[in-house]
Amino acid sequence: MRVLRRGDAGPDVAEIRSILAGMDLLPPVTGTDAYDTFDVAVEHAVRAFQQRRGLMTDGIVGPATFQALKGASYHLGSRPLSYMIASPVHGDDVFTLQERLTELGFDAGRPDGYFGPATERALKTFQRDMRLTPDGMCGPATIRELHRLSSPRARGGRPVFLREQEQVRQAGPRLRGKRIVIDPGHGGDDLGVVAGGLREADIAWDLARRLEGRMKATGMEALISRGPNHSPTELERAKFANDAGADLFLSLHSDKNPSPRAQGVASFHFGNGNGTTSTVGELLAGFIQREVAARTGLQDNRTHYKSWDIFTRTRCPAVRIEIGYLTNPDDARKLGDPAFRDIVAEGILIAVKRLYLLGEGDQPTGTFTFADVLAHELAKAE
């Protein structure tokens, strides 16, 4: 599809307007109004939808926003659902199915709106227990049983994220053996933000190598998602982490803004605006945010939930860090300094350590050091 923005017109804009009106984000169009025009009202409605769904709030309908809009037009029962390997079915109806199955004790995996193998397995088990044909097809008979049995007590797929928390607790405080995928953004021909003589792809790659070295020194298995001359898609990066059986996924980026006054660090984790959020991802994002802000002096732009593919398609807790604005002279000067990137890498490592410590022998933000981590690992090994 083409990217749609204010000023565009055509039947695809009319489709978007219809979906937004169905969600009460736009008033119904009457008479011969310009129903196929992307005007200011449509832009504001798109922004509201994007903010609600944890998407990039830019008022532009690109592939991610269009897919979310199309998905929002479905409710459970409006179409049959099944697993398709070539093109997984996506929509709010799939999300509702995943939540219902999870509430009933069937592990459908993270509720992300994609009908994948885990959803199919859970659905077949549910059908078998209900003495329905276990064909993995969510049709009228299955939906009737889901409505009949669903309880309003548990919402948001929380059992999935409680399992994430329990896995962290059982993993123990030692870092040795933990498998972390470090994902330097962009790469290859995709340079990311280019400003002030710096390229985001180069900054992210250098930072990833520094973080990799520190993690390996503690006994962790650190894997980098791409080579210096490659730029995988977000789905390819997620697949790399899933195939590796990663415990955590850390995506490294820098930001830009038309205003040179925009600056600081922000961290992101999975959340979709429907009350579903990765508990471990949110906790780790908070640790990273506080450590990096305290150690570097970068402005603290807080943590935020998003429903980006890099979060919905990874099976482990994932965090994306936007470290500074290359369009801000002060941030760019800092990021251009290798010693500064060492500080950032140490802050991220300490944040990961805090996640697994779960309060055991913890220290105030910004005071825990790499040497402390190594000493703790050595003590636990004895």
Side-chain angles (χ1 to χ4, degrees):
M1 61 154 289
R2 63 183 178 125
V3 174
L4 301 171
R5 49 173 51 86
R6 193 199 304 182
D8 289 336
D12 41 7
V13 176
E15 181 183 11
I16 290 168
R17 293 193 71 130
S18 177
I19 295 172
L20 292 169
M23 291 186 287
D24 295 325
L25 291 173
L26 273 179
V29 176
T30 59
T32 58
D33 290 348
Y35 192 66
D36 63 349
T37 301
F38 198 125
D39 56 18
V40 174
V42 174
E43 181 180 306
H44 289 168
V46 169
R47 286 180 181 274
F49 174 80
Q50 290 170 326
Q51 187 171 37
R52 179 187 296 180
R53 293 303 178 103
L55 299 164
M56 193 71 72
T57 310
D58 55 10
I60 298 171
V61 180
T65 297
F66 182 75
Q67 182 183 50
L69 282 165
K70 288 287 288 184
S73 66
Y74 297 110
H75 63 272
L76 188 60
S78 63
R79 58 176 176 169
L81 298 173
S82 63
Y83 175 47
M84 298 174 62
I85 297 176
S87 180
V89 177
H90 172 267
D92 284 15
D93 50 349
V94 180
F95 180 86
T96 302
L97 171 63
Q98 292 168 329
E99 283 200 317
R100 297 274 173 86
L101 290 169
T102 299
E103 291 159 14
L104 293 168
F106 300 91
D107 185 7
R110 175 179 295 179
D112 57 8
Y114 288 91
F115 198 119
T119 304
E120 182 184 47
R121 285 193 298 270
L123 180 59
K124 285 183 175 180
T125 303
F126 170 78
Q127 290 172 325
R128 190 175 298 112
D129 288 356
M130 295 299 106
R131 292 185 170 84
L132 300 170
T133 302
D135 57 6
M137 172 75 73
C138 186
T142 300
I143 289 170
R144 280 196 299 271
E145 288 299 305
L146 287 167
H147 285 318
R148 184 176 69 83
L149 295 174
S150 290
S151 164
R153 291 175 295 175
R155 294 294 177 194
R158 285 295 176 183
V160 176
F161 300 111
L162 290 175
R163 282 194 287 272
E164 280 188 358
Q165 287 179 281
E166 182 60 17
Q167 287 170 357
V168 169
R169 189 190 68 79
Q170 291 186 357
R174 290 196 67 195
L175 295 181
R176 179 169 295 277
K178 305 293 193 299
R179 184 170 295 171
I180 313 299
V181 168
I182 307 168
D183 176 46
H186 307 282
D189 293 334
D190 178 9
L191 302 178
V193 181
V194 178
L198 298 175
R199 306 190 302 188
E200 181 186 1
D202 297 339
I203 295 292
W205 173 255
D206 179 79
L207 181 56
R209 294 303 304 270
R210 293 170 191 272
L211 183 56
E212 176 194 33
R214 284 162 175 75
M215 287 185 164
K216 286 185 174 179
T218 68
M220 302 174 82
E221 294 183 51
L223 307 172
I224 297 182
S225 65
R226 69 166 175 89
N229 300 315
H230 297 89
S231 180
T233 66
E234 287 204 343
L235 295 182
E236 290 169 338
R237 294 168 195 259
K239 184 178 185 301
F240 177 88
N242 294 338
D243 291 346
D247 295 302
L248 299 173
F249 181 92
L250 304 174
S251 189
L252 309 177
H253 288 260
S254 294
D255 215 333
K256 66 177 179 179
N257 194 281
S259 170
R261 300 180 64 180
Q263 59 182 310
V265 57
S267 300
F268 301 86
H269 60 88
F270 171 72
N272 60 12
N274 290 328
T276 300
T277 184
S278 169
T279 311
V280 174
E282 183 175 8
L283 186 62
L284 178 57
F287 284 141
I288 291 175
Q289 185 65 22
R290 290 191 292 273
E291 286 294 336
V292 173
R295 293 165 185 271
T296 63
L298 289 172
Q299 180 174 292
D300 185 351
N301 293 336
R302 300 173 294 173
T303 63
H304 309 270
Y305 69 82
K306 293 292 179 184
S307 58
W308 296 330
D309 280 347
I310 205 65
F311 296 144
T312 61
R313 307 311 289 272
T314 48
R315 291 196 290 265
C316 63
V319 172
R320 171 168 165 165
I321 315 109
E322 294 279 355
I323 307 156
Y325 283 73
L326 293 183
T327 48
N328 176 269
D330 191 46
D331 283 5
R333 175 184 57 79
K334 290 177 178 178
L335 284 165
D337 183 356
F340 178 83
R341 298 197 291 272
D342 277 335
I343 295 171
V344 173
E346 182 173 64
I348 295 173
L349 174 67
I350 298 302
V352 172
K353 180 64 174 177
R354 287 190 186 281
L355 175 70
Y356 286 107
L357 278 173
L358 294 176
E360 175 193 329
D362 214 345
Q363 298 181 30
T365 298
T367 63
F368 214 19
T369 67
F370 181 50
D372 292 332
V373 172
L374 293 177
H376 186 272
E377 292 295 307
L378 182 61
K380 288 292 181 181
E382 294 176 351

